[in-house]
Amino acid sequence: MSDKELNWKFSDEFVVESEAVTRARQQALELGIDAVAPAVGAQSAVIAAATGAGSILEVGTGTGVSGMWLLTGAPGATLTSIDVEVDYQHHARANFTDAGFPGNRVRLITGRAAEVLPRMNENSYDIVFVDADPHSVIEYVEHGLRLVRPGGSVLVAHALWRGWVADPVRRDDVATGFRSLLTEIAASSAVVSALSPVGDGLLQITRVRP
């Protein structure tokens, strides 16, 4: 195992997840959902806490792993989460309840994100968390930057996509799409950004201009 892989493994094992998140992670594994790594969840919670987030939008509910982490960091926030799979959201709803998050703090919307996001109000969220169809990541980030307030952040999970984004030999659509996103974000004066290597990457984009 390389030093880099040891660091990733250590970063994940450093995190202590709650019983509710652990159950949700096991459900995700059984359903074939690629839930965020523990270190990504913990880092997202830290960002939510530092932001003082009151309103969070999540693209990709899954079984609730990332949503519970975000709410752990922002105890007073309201989470709106979109997913096309109603079965996933049934699991997520039960997991949020088991974790002690009141029902009025979690709003689940079943539908295609590409159809739901255009109908949502701009400048309305402190954080937009993107963890959905990787083929549509650029579209989701564009919507996210419209929906977050100035000073708010868009967080993009799996931004290094299994380690393939950093490998120029990899030319599949997903790796190429993430590279294009990273290039566009780096060139924008409307945001500041950072790419964390935890898990398989967490891209943090903060909107600094209206």
Side-chain angles (χ1 to χ4, degrees):
M1 184 177 291
S2 70
D3 289 346
K4 186 178 296 184
E5 290 169 327
L6 283 171
N7 285 336
W8 286 337
K9 184 173 184 293
F10 183 84
S11 296
D12 273 341
E13 292 178 347
F14 168 76
V15 177
V16 178
E17 293 193 305
S18 68
E19 291 183 6
V21 172
T22 299
R23 284 195 299 271
R25 185 176 296 285
Q26 181 59 38
Q27 287 177 348
L29 181 64
E30 293 168 357
L31 291 167
I33 300 169
D34 191 9
V36 298
V40 171
Q43 188 162 340
S44 301
V46 169
I47 294 169
T51 303
S55 184
I56 301 171
L57 173 63
E58 180 182 46
V59 185
T61 310
T63 56
V65 173
S66 52
M68 283 190 282
W69 268 116
L70 288 161
L71 288 175
T72 297
T78 298
L79 173 72
T80 300
S81 188
I82 306 166
D83 204 298
V84 71
E85 297 288 348
V86 66
D87 184 48
Y88 294 174
Q89 291 193 325
H90 284 320
H91 287 291
R93 174 69 72 186
N95 290 330
F96 284 122
T97 299
D98 288 346
F101 297 112
N104 61 2
R105 286 181 55 198
V106 180
R107 176 191 180 204
L108 302 182
I109 300 176
T110 305
R112 294 175 57 84
E115 297 172 359
V116 176
L117 291 171
R119 302 198 300 266
M120 307 192 84
N121 295 327
E122 62 183 31
N123 301 320
S124 297
Y125 296 92
D126 300 305
I127 291 175
V128 174
F129 189 90
V130 177
D131 183 15
D133 177 14
H135 294 89
S136 300
V137 66
I138 293 177
E139 178 185 359
Y140 296 157
V141 170
E142 288 174 347
H143 281 299
L145 289 172
R146 177 181 63 84
L147 296 173
V148 292
R149 60 169 176 77
S153 295
V154 177
L155 307 180
V156 185
H158 309 293
L160 290 173
W161 193 247
R162 302 170 183 171
W164 295 358
V165 172
D167 184 354
V169 174
R170 297 283 186 175
R171 295 291 181 179
D172 63 282
D173 290 345
V174 174
T176 300
F178 274 113
R179 286 191 201 107
S180 296
L181 171 63
L182 291 168
T183 299
E184 290 179 16
I185 290 301
S188 174
S189 61
V191 302
V192 293
S193 62
L195 177 59
S196 170
V198 295
D200 62 346
L202 179 66
L203 175 61
Q204 305 158 58
I205 312 165
T206 298
R207 183 180 167 192
V208 294
R209 283 172 40 191

